[in-house]
Amino acid sequence: MLRFDDIGNRLKAFRLGSGLSAEEIAAKLGISRTALYRFEKGELAKIETLEKLADLLQVSVPTLLGVGVEYIASAVSYFERMRQIEETAEHIIVLAGPISYVLASDGFDRALGEVLRESVPEALAKNSKALAQIDELMAVLRSRKETYRRRRPAILNLIAAGEMQRFLRNGLVGRLDLPEPVRRERRRLARAEAPEALALHEKMARELWSSGLKGPAAVRFMRAMMETVQD
């Protein structure tokens, strides 16, 4: 069954990733900005309007409706979808990169924006829209971190040793042709980040272990739950 609040969430994510403002999209569709925001809050939209939105945002209607696999081409849309899902998730499994962003330090945040900007090719760097997308991405990422710090869901972060090794060797960089003094400072930032992230992982693991049911108590709980849940 389709959930219109989920459709609204996807609509917002793809709008943010499109680089178009709410005013631009509303004008192209011939609706008010208020109506667009209502759609993003989960208000039912006509299928013809959804088709026009999908075409404008360059996604398929099934992706917008959440039918099957979601195909996401924009980093902003991807992380906005993650933020939305994490707002209600109790457990998060991460398989990406050497550092889990929500567990990273505020110092990592301060460097990340600069790293993303330096990774933009010069031809695109002159395009203010490309840099504006980075600002949008950083806003979404910080919102994700605020959500995590407020809710504290359980996180399982799967880290590849090879990725961690490259992160420590290369440092926190957007490209590899930076001046050596900058490279040294970025390597220092990476090496400072890894122990803090590991310490947070260890703290979380200890808290989960200490608060969880174990042994006979866990078995009794599971048996009682199975007996109370009826078909």
Side-chain angles (χ1 to χ4, degrees), residues 148-215:
Y148 167 74
R149 289 178 172 175
R150 184 179 71 253
R151 299 188 63 247
R152 295 286 178 176
I155 292 184
L156 172 62
N157 196 30
L158 304 175
I159 302 173
E163 288 191 20
M164 178 61 78
Q165 188 178 48
R166 283 191 293 273
F167 179 65
L168 296 174
R169 182 187 299 124
N170 295 327
L172 188 57
V173 295
R175 63 177 195 268
L176 298 178
D177 61 346
L178 297 171
E180 185 53 33
V182 175
R183 294 282 304 276
R184 281 199 299 270
E185 173 60 17
R186 298 295 180 77
R187 285 194 291 269
R188 185 194 67 78
L189 286 172
R191 288 167 183 161
E193 193 64 35
E196 183 167 349
L198 290 173
L200 285 169
H201 278 292
E202 182 179 20
K203 179 175 180 292
M204 183 179 300
R206 290 180 184 276
E207 289 176 352
L208 289 172
W209 178 255
S210 63
S211 61
L213 292 173
K214 296 174 281 292

Side-chain angles (χ1 to χ4, degrees), residues 6-27:
D6 282 345
I7 295 173
N9 283 336
R10 280 186 287 274
L11 173 57
K12 179 180 180 180
F14 289 122
R15 172 177 66 78
L16 292 176
S18 72
L20 297 170
S21 68
E23 291 82 358
E24 289 173 312
I25 291 176

